[in-house]
Amino acid sequence: MSGLILVSHNQSQRSTLTAVYDGILSRLGGLWISWNGESTVISQDASRADVAKQHDRYETVTFPYTPGELNEGYHNYIHKGLWPVFHQRPDMARFSTNGFQEYKNINKAYARAICENATPDDVIWIQDYHLLGCARYIREEGLPNSVGIFLHQPFPAGRMFETIPEWRWFTESLLCCDLIGFQTVQDMNNFLVWLESEFRLEWLEAHSFRIHGRIINVGVFPVGIDLDDVESLRESNSCAYMEMQCRESLPENSVLSGGHLDESSGLPYRISTLEVLLRRHDCYQKNITLLQLAPPAAGHAHDASQLGHALEAQCGELNGVHGTMNWYPVNYLTHAYSREEQAGIYRASRVALVTPLMAGMSLMAKMYVALQDPKNPGVLILSQFAGAAGQMEGAIIVNPYDPDAMASAVHRALQMPLHERRCQHARLMKGLHMHNSHHWAASFLRMLNNVPADPEALPPPAAFPRLSSSRARY
């Protein structure tokens, strides 16, 4: 296989996703290009300070953003603009010309690092919507290598993508890739239905079409987790200690709720779910705790504080109504636990409530399942709108907007017999082993490596011919 250049948003964050990237590159080798998580002032005539580092099987190249790129490009344009659109909430999106310029500068910085380090046989794998313009600038520099992008976020339905003021620029950039990967079939269909309503496509195969002289492939590649990473977390001392603390101090019926502090998390509905459960079932009085993990760093900087205060108020109201002098139904925790400590909390929780209103990967759900004791596993309750829902056979699937239905699901999970929990966990683990992170990488890169890199088919981006008459599909 050709050499791999993996291009991602932020290598400095210690997360399940960075562990996935590390595991892939540790096995395949290659180069990882990423932002280093910092910002620094860079004068116009100065070059960006790239830092190269050698690891056991792969190399990394990292660089800082400028303050403008961090604030206007990342926090504002990506989080306040693109993120709401990709999560079906264009009414919340806020765009600016300055933000778009800084977003382009971020993508140019990545493209420069790629062009400086790529060899002719390398394939380039770009990750997510932070870097939608990267392939465009690579092509403008004349790099003929095969380029693929994987979208971790859901793709907007209908014409929602066109609410981005620069949607034509983004479309032209996406179509500079040889392979566009999606988390779910629904995401891919959303993209293709929209694309066919705007452009004339010549279909060559089921997942391959020609547009403006270029052949584009599309595919569905659900992200898996690294089970070796799971094993390392499970065997850590911090995990064991946190699990012991939770089991000694919490009621037997502990329900885990976590996720990013953002508008798509659905956290308020989970608090309402517990309120419904306590009203319906007296048996949970003083015998249940919802562990609401809500560290501020887990959200978007511009609204995490406001959402956190609202969530804290809702938890306080519930505790005030249903709590006693020595028991509170909700433990609202803002502490930033390490991954090892989170693993201990996961293992001690009887139920995990992973119910985002809209999500791409939902790796938390997979980590919860993988960390369970197979002899006495917990139960996963998963949103029907989570990207992982189609893969997680054995989870209880719910509507995240319906606290009544979620309360019924929590009650069912807490009362589920051991043999049924074991069976469901075994089915879930079978899926996690079959579709782990290495399967994800192998399937994507196999398809990308089969895409011929034809320099003559790679002109600089031009205005793609838009249909001027009907919006009918072709």
Side-chain angles (χ1 to χ4, degrees), residues 180-363:
I180 305 171
F182 301 88
Q183 170 73 17
T184 69
V185 173
Q186 182 65 63
D187 295 328
M188 182 178 73
N189 287 343
N190 285 348
F191 172 72
L192 292 176
V193 168
W194 173 79
L195 192 69
E196 285 189 299
S197 74
E198 293 295 330
F199 305 101
R200 294 184 184 275
L201 310 184
E202 177 191 353
W203 284 98
L204 306 176
E205 296 179 6
H207 294 131
S208 178
F209 58 87
R210 190 192 311 273
I211 181 170
H212 201 59
R214 298 207 65 245
I215 296 175
I216 311 294
N217 288 266
V218 293
V220 176
F221 310 93
V223 181
I225 59 173
D226 188 334
L227 295 174
D228 290 334
D229 171 58
V230 172
E231 185 67 23
S232 176
L233 293 173
R234 186 167 46 224
E235 292 181 350
S236 68
N237 291 333
S238 295
C239 173
Y241 180 70
M242 180 59 74
E243 180 184 1
M244 180 185 67
Q245 275 196 320
C246 290
R247 294 192 185 278
E248 289 178 351
S249 60
L250 297 175
E252 179 185 6
N253 296 316
S254 57
V255 180
L256 172 66
S257 171
H260 294 292
L261 274 175
D262 56 48
E263 293 286 351
S264 75
S265 65
L267 298 183
Y269 290 96
R270 303 183 206 180
I271 308 303
S272 299
T273 294
L274 185 61
E275 195 273 333
V276 173
L277 189 71
L278 291 170
R279 279 195 287 106
R280 285 182 180 176
H281 304 282
D282 292 338
C283 62
Y284 295 120
Q285 289 292 330
K286 298 185 179 181
N287 190 30
I288 192 171
T289 290
L290 180 72
L291 288 172
Q292 180 59 65
L293 305 183
H300 295 167
H302 67 276
D303 60 3
S305 178
Q306 181 180 351
L307 292 172
H309 287 315
L311 191 62
E312 188 173 356
Q314 188 181 9
C315 293
E317 181 179 355
L318 179 62
N319 285 339
V321 172
H322 293 277
T324 64
M325 293 290 289
N326 57 0
W327 169 74
Y328 296 107
V330 181
N331 275 6
Y332 181 79
L333 306 173
T334 60
H335 179 74
Y337 293 100
S338 68
R339 294 190 71 229
E340 290 78 9
E341 291 169 328
Q342 289 181 36
I345 296 172
Y346 286 20
R347 284 179 60 81
S349 300
R350 285 282 304 277
V351 173
L353 200 55
V354 186
T355 53
L357 308 180
M358 179 63 63
M361 301 176 296
S362 302
L363 296 183

Side-chain angles (χ1 to χ4, degrees), residues 111-130:
R112 175 194 54 78
I114 293 168
C115 292
E116 289 178 355
N117 289 278
T119 63
D121 293 332
D122 288 336
V123 295
I124 300 162
W125 188 8
I126 301 168
Q127 305 293 330
D128 215 8
Y129 71 149
H130 307 81

Side-chain angles (χ1 to χ4, degrees), residues 376-391:
N376 185 25
V379 179
L380 172 65
I381 299 174
L382 186 61
S383 165
Q384 68 189 66
F385 303 117
Q391 292 181 285

Side-chain angles (χ1 to χ4, degrees), residues 55-171:
H55 298 256
D56 288 341
R57 289 289 310 279
Y58 65 91
E59 296 178 77
T60 60
V61 170
T62 60
F63 53 83
Y65 287 171
T66 67
E69 291 167 353
L70 178 61
N71 295 321
E72 292 297 325
Y74 177 63
H75 289 308
N76 287 343
Y77 195 83
I78 292 174
H79 283 169
K80 291 184 180 181
L82 297 181
W83 185 92
V85 173
F86 277 83
H87 288 79
Q88 322 297 337
R89 290 297 306 273
D91 57 300
M92 294 174 53
R94 300 294 181 268
F95 295 98
S96 70
T97 303
N98 189 38
F100 178 54
Q101 182 58 53
E102 294 295 355
Y103 177 86
K104 291 194 293 184
N105 290 341
I106 289 172
N107 280 257
K108 287 178 182 178
Y110 275 95
R112 175 194 54 78
I114 293 168
C115 292
E116 289 178 355
N117 289 278
T119 63
D121 293 332
D122 288 336
V123 295
I124 300 162
W125 188 8
I126 301 168
Q127 305 293 330
D128 215 8
Y129 71 149
H130 307 81
L131 304 174
L132 288 176
C134 200
R136 178 191 193 97
Y137 295 122
I138 291 172
R139 298 310 190 200
E140 287 182 349
E141 291 298 319
L143 210 64
N145 301 53
S146 291
V147 178
I149 187 168
F150 179 79
L151 292 175
H152 297 233
Q153 311 300 326
F155 193 85
R159 298 182 63 185
M160 216 172 290
F161 189 67
E162 294 180 37
T163 62
I164 302 172
E166 299 83 14
W167 68 269
R168 289 183 179 83
W169 184 90
F170 281 102
T171 306

